[in-house]
Amino acid sequence: KTGCHVEWTHPAAGAETEKFNLMIASGNLPDMIVYEWSTVPGGAKMYYEDDMILELGELIDKNMPNLKAFNTERPEVKKQYTNDDGKIYYIPFIRKDKELKVFLGPQIRKDWLLNLQLKEPKTTDELREVLRAFKTQDPNGNGKADEIPMSGIGFKSVTQGIGNLCWAFGTHYDFYIDGDSVKYGILEQSFTEALDYIRGLYEEGLIDKDFLLNDRSKMDAKVINNNVGFVYNYQPSNYYGTMNDGTRKIEGIEHLTGPHGDKKCYVPDYANDVTKMAAAITTANENPVGTAKWLDEFFGGKGLEYMNFGEEGKTFTWDNGYPRLTDNVLHNPDGKDTVGMLAKNISAYESQFPTLQDWRYYEQSLSPWGREAIDKWCNDTDISGILPPLSFTAEENNTITQIMSQVDTYVEENINKIVVGNQAIESIDEIRTSIKKMGIDKVLKIYNDAYKRYKKR
């Protein structure tokens, strides 16, 4: 329909980085490269300076009216994919609506709460009491003491880690914004308080003793088998198909409030509209103007409609101005899997090719459990501490990599020892002393410098 024929070259799954590096080294470039440009070593600017990709600011202004109009309307989004030097080197996939950014958080067995006549916990103190009841009062009703009040996957994981309980104490186990500066949570006194809370839960047997051994399939199996009461995880539509039997229910709950009134969340996606994946136009492209015009089709009009809803009459119909997905997608008459039909027909569902993702198709794909969870997670959660997408120079990246490879390993090993009781909580002071010797202050300076540059974009 656009008159453009595109030849696609797909690397094998898991071979993307190797394929990218070989392509760059060979100098044999295609017209356009879709890659994680925001995190590429050395930054996208380096590839521009090496005469491999184009700067796109003028191309956008003159040839991409749809994207230009969005940038004018949402300058805070444009800032996220503008380089520190004020230039634009790639066109991103953008989550247009806030609900699209909120797809994981705390969730609990609603039926267990009802069985024990308990209210949904809203604070860390209330959660501890609920977990104690889950452990001792047989909420799954099988007459066995087989309940695991809380499960998780490791400590440091924004998707499923038990360390996410730190957020209610106004701190994080990673880098975050506090006021006008970047901090590293492990160094803060608030982290000691949070860690002591988590350690206490584990000591009481309220946290899965195998949290360090779990992967997602193991944790999910425990939930589905009626053994687990509380987790951090992707939204509970994932459990709906196997657990929606009229008695069981996984419910998303609001992010917890801590002892000092903090209700923080540090999941990057909650704040960042732009994903890592984006398209750069290379210097090998003989028609960058045409390429820019073609890309702009996916930011407005029929192209944007097609990316989010597919083919009118086949995958969606207009219903009083609302693009309603058809039964061919959501309830396929041939019994085809809904997720597969969405992935096949709705480009914005699984691909991260440049476009504006629209909440209206996604909300139709969710189970009732998932839709309710997103409403809860959006409710009054403080996301002010989430780091924006910072840019680092090649030298800064090298310093961060060298220092943090040591720091991350050391911190995780010792924090886990404290949680499981093999090391005293007081050893946190020794941990801080050690990571300062490793150079954490150098890394913090780099992050703070990058944050200052970001604010000036």
Side-chain angles (χ1 to χ4, degrees):
K1 291 182 178 180
T2 60
C4 299
H5 172 71
V6 181
E7 293 181 9
W8 304 86
T9 301
H10 295 285
E16 297 88 353
T17 301
E18 179 185 6
K19 178 77 172 181
F20 176 81
N21 291 335
L22 287 172
M23 180 173 57
I24 294 298
S26 71
N28 185 19
L29 304 175
D31 294 324
M32 186 163 51
I33 304 171
V34 179
Y35 194 63
E36 292 189 352
W37 284 103
S38 63
T39 57
V40 71
K45 181 182 179 181
M46 183 179 77
Y47 296 83
Y48 167 71
E49 292 175 340
D50 288 344
D51 199 32
M52 292 185 173
I53 62 174
L54 300 176
E55 199 280 315
L56 304 177
E58 187 174 346
L59 278 172
I60 293 171
D61 284 344
K62 292 183 177 180
N63 304 286
M64 301 187 71
N66 291 315
L67 180 57
K68 183 179 179 180
F70 181 81
N71 286 341
T72 301
E73 179 186 342
R74 300 277 298 275
E76 80 283 359
V77 179
K78 180 184 178 184
K79 188 175 181 178
Q80 292 176 26
Y81 68 96
T82 300
N83 199 64
D84 289 339
D85 59 7
K87 296 180 178 180
I88 295 174
Y89 299 114
Y90 47 79
I91 307 298
F93 177 93
I94 298 171
R95 296 186 174 115
K96 182 168 65 73
D97 305 304
K98 74 172 185 178
E99 292 89 350
L100 291 164
K101 301 183 290 181
V102 180
F103 47 80
L104 60 90
Q107 44 203 281
I108 202 163
R109 282 290 295 267
K110 177 69 171 180
D111 52 311
W112 285 18
L113 293 176
L114 293 173
N115 289 345
L116 302 182
Q117 298 182 317
L118 297 171
K119 294 180 179 179
E120 174 186 309
K122 294 186 179 297
T123 69
T124 49
D125 285 343
E126 290 175 2
L127 176 67
R128 180 166 48 207
E129 294 308 310
V130 165
L131 296 181
R132 285 170 174 166
F134 282 176
K135 178 176 175 62
T136 61
Q137 297 181 32
D138 192 26
N140 66 15
N142 67 358
K144 302 176 182 178
D146 59 352
E147 286 84 0
I148 301 169
M150 176 182 180
S151 190
I153 302 174
F155 188 89
K156 294 173 61 176
S157 165
V158 294
T159 53
Q160 292 123 343
I162 65 168
N164 297 341
L165 292 169
C166 291
W167 302 345
F169 292 79
T171 191
H172 193 25
Y173 42 75
D174 211 329
F175 297 96
Y176 66 100
I177 302 296
D178 183 18
D180 205 36
S181 64
V182 180
K183 292 186 176 179
Y184 183 58
I186 312 300
L187 297 173
E188 303 302 314
Q189 187 57 36
S190 53
F191 183 82
T192 306
E193 185 179 8
L195 184 61
D196 195 39
Y197 171 81
I198 296 169
R199 181 204 60 77
L201 296 182
Y202 186 89
E203 186 178 45
E204 287 191 51
L206 306 181
I207 292 177
D208 191 347
K209 61 181 176 59
D210 293 325
F211 78 93
L212 292 173
L213 303 176
N214 285 338
D215 56 22
R216 187 174 175 186
S217 62
K218 290 178 181 177
M219 187 186 80
D220 283 349
K222 293 175 183 180
V223 175
I224 293 167
N225 291 332
N226 297 323
N227 296 121
V228 173
F230 177 77
V231 292
Y232 283 85
N233 205 350
Y234 293 101
Q235 52 103 343
S237 286
N238 298 305
Y239 295 128
Y240 185 81
T242 52
M243 297 185 69
N244 179 37
D245 54 13
T247 57
R248 296 183 294 175
K249 183 177 182 182
I250 301 288
E251 180 177 68
I253 65 171
E254 293 181 19
H255 284 275
L256 298 166
T257 300
H260 309 295
D262 295 292
K263 190 180 181 182
K264 298 278 191 178
C265 171
Y266 292 103
V267 180
D269 292 295
Y270 273 54
N272 297 332
D273 306 86
V274 174
T275 68
K276 294 178 181 179
M277 202 65 71
I281 299 176
T282 74
T283 52
N285 191 315
E286 295 181 358
N287 187 10
V289 168
T291 301
K293 289 180 177 179
W294 180 70
L295 284 170
D296 196 52
E297 291 295 316
F298 305 124
F299 288 88
K302 284 292 181 181
L304 178 61
E305 176 185 294
Y306 194 88
M307 290 293 278
N308 282 281
F309 309 111
E311 186 177 342
E312 186 175 359
K314 179 183 177 183
T315 59
F316 84 99
T317 57
W318 288 105
D319 180 7
N320 292 322
Y322 185 88
R324 195 163 300 284
L325 298 181
T326 63
D327 282 347
N328 185 48
V329 175
L330 297 179
H331 308 286
N332 187 268
D334 298 325
K336 293 180 180 178
D337 175 66
T338 298
V339 170
M341 290 299 293
L342 287 164
K344 180 178 180 180
N345 292 283
I346 311 299
S347 297
Y349 179 75
E350 197 164 79
S351 167
Q352 290 189 9
F353 193 81
T355 191
L356 299 176
Q357 189 182 24
D358 194 306
W359 164 243
R360 292 174 296 176
Y361 88 79
Y362 188 61
E363 70 172 336
Q364 295 177 69
S365 73
L366 294 173
S367 75
W369 294 2
R371 185 67 181 83
E372 293 166 6
I374 288 174
D375 287 340
K376 290 280 186 72
W377 296 335
C378 283
N379 187 27
D380 299 327
T381 302
D382 184 353
I383 59 172
S384 62
I386 296 173
L387 276 176
L390 304 179
S391 295
F392 302 104
T393 66
E395 184 179 352
E396 287 173 336
N397 258 321
N398 287 336
T399 301
I400 291 170
T401 300
Q402 290 173 9
I403 294 174
M404 292 310 296
S405 61
Q406 298 180 66
V407 169
D408 284 337
T409 301
Y410 176 80
V411 165
E412 188 154 13
E413 179 182 331
N414 284 276
I415 294 302
N416 288 334
K417 286 179 180 178
I418 292 174
V419 171
V420 302
N422 292 340
Q423 203 162 288
I425 186 70
E426 289 77 15
S427 66
I428 190 71
D429 292 330
E430 184 181 335
I431 295 172
R432 288 169 180 148
T433 300
S434 296
I435 63 176
K436 282 179 177 289
K437 290 178 181 176
M438 293 176 189
I440 190 64
D441 288 336
K442 291 181 183 178
V443 176
L444 264 175
K445 184 180 185 307
I446 290 172
Y447 267 85
N448 275 285
D449 289 345
Y451 184 51
K452 289 174 184 175
R453 296 195 300 264
Y454 177 84
K455 289 190 293 182
K456 291 178 180 179
R457 289 182 185 179

